[in-house]
């Protein structure tokens, strides 16, 4: 504000002195004496200000993006006259450089790569804009890429692709877990069968040793041959099986049927009768030798 011949410049500003419209120097913050109305003061703020730029562009895989970038900059106090006299619309001119930089970078990257290279893009924007604005006394403090907006349909497709990829990874992990479980179950089953086989082998060895001991004992005590002892043991086991079969109450006997089976049954019956008659004859002869009366004589005496 200028009153009479005194001009006040606030802190955070720089005053540009003009003599009849011609730049004649700068005025520091505070009270400055001027020759009014021939000399005037134009104030230029030196605070950091922000320019937000929205750029529509396309990636290498033809996906449309809206990139939001922020340029934070300030006026160089020593070159404030260049900024004031050479730039007519700083916001628009900075935005043009940002548009040009982004649209030269993103078409070289696919969508995924574009999201990954935000920091690289911000650094490139800062370097390009700083180099372009340096002759005009505008210092670029920092450049930020704050947002990259994709069309909703493209965003939905990207989410579906990521979901499918994660489902595939989950399926692979699930299959690996099932494979491990199957391998462990097979190993456990193999160990169980191995132990079962060892137990069966030990049981059969014990049975064999028991049979061997029984045979040796009966040979020493009864003087029987090994074949006779084996036949007697098999007969005893057969009778035990028939006994258990009869006592179970729910068992069913299956008799083989067919021409050969009938002949076998007839042969077994004939052998049974033959053996019975021979045993009866041998018993009668034994009774005669011992002097026992016959069954008919005993009935007659009675």
């Amino acid at each position: 504000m200028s009153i009479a011949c005194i001009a006040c410049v606030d802190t955070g500003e720089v005053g540009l002195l003009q003599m009849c419209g011609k730049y004649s120097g700068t005025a520091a913050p505070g009270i400055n004496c001027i020759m009014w109305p021939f000399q005037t003061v134009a104030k230029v703020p030196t605070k950091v200000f922000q320019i937000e730029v929205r750029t529509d562009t396309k990636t290498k895989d033809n996906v449309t993006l809206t990139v939001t970038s922020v340029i934070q900059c300030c006026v160089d106090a020593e070159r404030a006259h260049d900024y004031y006299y050479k730039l007519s619309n700083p916001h628009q001119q900075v935005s043009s450089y940002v548009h040009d930089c982004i649209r030269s970078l993103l078409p070289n990257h696919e969508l995924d790569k574009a999201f990954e290279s935000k920091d690289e893009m911000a650094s490139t924007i800062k370097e390009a804009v700083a180099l372009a604005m340096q002759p005009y006394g505008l210092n670029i403090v920092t450049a930020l890429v704050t947002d990259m907006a994709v069309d909703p349909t493209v965003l939905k497709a990207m989410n579906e692709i990521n979901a499918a990829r994660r489902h595939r990874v989950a399926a692979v992990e699930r299959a690996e877990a099932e494979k491990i479980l199957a391998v462990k179950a097979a190993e456990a089953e193999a160990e169980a069968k191995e132990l079962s086989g060892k137990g069966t082998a030990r049981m059969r060895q014990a049975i064999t040793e028991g049979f061997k001991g029984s045979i040796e004992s009966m040979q020493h005590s009864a003087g029987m041959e090994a074949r006779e002892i084996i036949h007697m043991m098999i007969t005893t086991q057969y009778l035990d099986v028939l006994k258990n079969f009869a006592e179970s109450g729910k068992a069913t006997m299956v008799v083989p049927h067919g021409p050969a089976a009938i002949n076998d049954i007839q042969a077994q019956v004939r052998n049974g009768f033959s053996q019975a008659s021979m045993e009866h004859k041998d018993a009668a002869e034994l009774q005669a030798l011992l002097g026992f009366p016959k069954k008919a004589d005993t009935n007659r005496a009675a």
Side-chain angles (χ1 to χ4, degrees), residues 64-290:
T64 303
L65 286 177
T66 300
V67 181
T68 302
S69 54
V70 172
I71 309 298
Q72 294 181 349
C73 49
C74 64
V75 177
D76 187 356
E78 296 181 357
R79 303 190 62 181
H81 58 284
D82 291 330
Y83 172 81
Y84 185 78
Y85 292 111
K86 293 181 179 180
L87 291 179
S88 60
N89 192 340
H91 286 69
Q92 185 176 356
Q93 289 166 311
V94 169
S95 298
S96 299
Y97 283 106
V98 173
H99 290 323
D100 180 70
C101 186
I102 291 177
R103 287 170 182 164
S104 63
L105 285 175
L106 278 183
N108 297 323
H109 299 302
E110 294 183 352
L111 183 60
D112 293 338
K113 182 64 176 178
F115 278 97
E116 295 174 1
S117 59
K118 286 178 62 178
D119 294 338
E120 178 185 354
M121 190 186 311
S123 177
T124 305
I125 292 172
K126 179 183 177 181
E127 292 177 1
V129 177
L131 183 63
M133 292 292 107
Q134 185 178 5
Y136 304 104
L138 187 63
N139 295 331
I140 305 301
V141 178
T142 185
L144 303 173
V145 177
T146 57
D147 188 26
M148 298 178 68
V150 188
D151 186 82
T153 56
V154 177
L155 186 62
K156 182 179 179 181
M158 290 176 60
N159 292 333
E160 291 177 355
I161 292 172
N162 290 330
R165 185 182 297 115
R166 293 181 183 276
H167 284 315
R168 184 168 62 250
V169 174
V172 172
E173 295 295 332
R174 194 181 305 111
E176 289 293 334
E178 292 176 357
K179 175 183 176 182
I180 293 173
L181 291 176
V183 171
K184 293 298 181 182
E187 292 177 354
E189 184 179 0
E191 293 179 0
K193 288 183 178 180
E194 182 181 0
L195 295 176
S196 176
K198 290 181 180 180
T200 303
R202 292 175 182 175
M203 180 187 69
R204 290 176 180 174
Q205 184 179 0
I207 293 173
T208 303
E209 292 177 355
F211 281 158
K212 180 179 179 182
S214 299
I215 291 172
E216 291 177 353
S217 177
M218 295 179 71
Q219 282 179 340
H220 289 297
S221 61
M224 299 176 66
E225 294 293 334
R227 180 178 297 178
E228 296 175 350
I229 296 171
I230 292 174
H231 288 172
M232 184 182 69
M233 294 174 68
I234 293 174
T235 303
T236 303
Q237 289 182 352
Y238 176 72
L239 294 176
D240 291 337
V241 171
L242 292 180
K243 180 180 177 182
N244 295 332
F245 183 80
E247 290 178 351
S248 64
K250 296 182 180 180
T252 302
M253 179 178 290
V254 179
V255 179
H257 180 68
I262 295 175
N263 293 333
D264 292 340
I265 294 174
Q266 291 176 353
Q268 291 177 10
V269 172
R270 284 196 301 269
N271 292 335
F273 279 117
S274 299
Q275 291 179 1
S277 62
M278 290 177 63
E279 290 176 358
H280 180 71
K281 182 178 179 181
D282 292 340
E285 292 177 356
L286 182 60
Q287 288 178 357
L289 291 174
L290 296 176

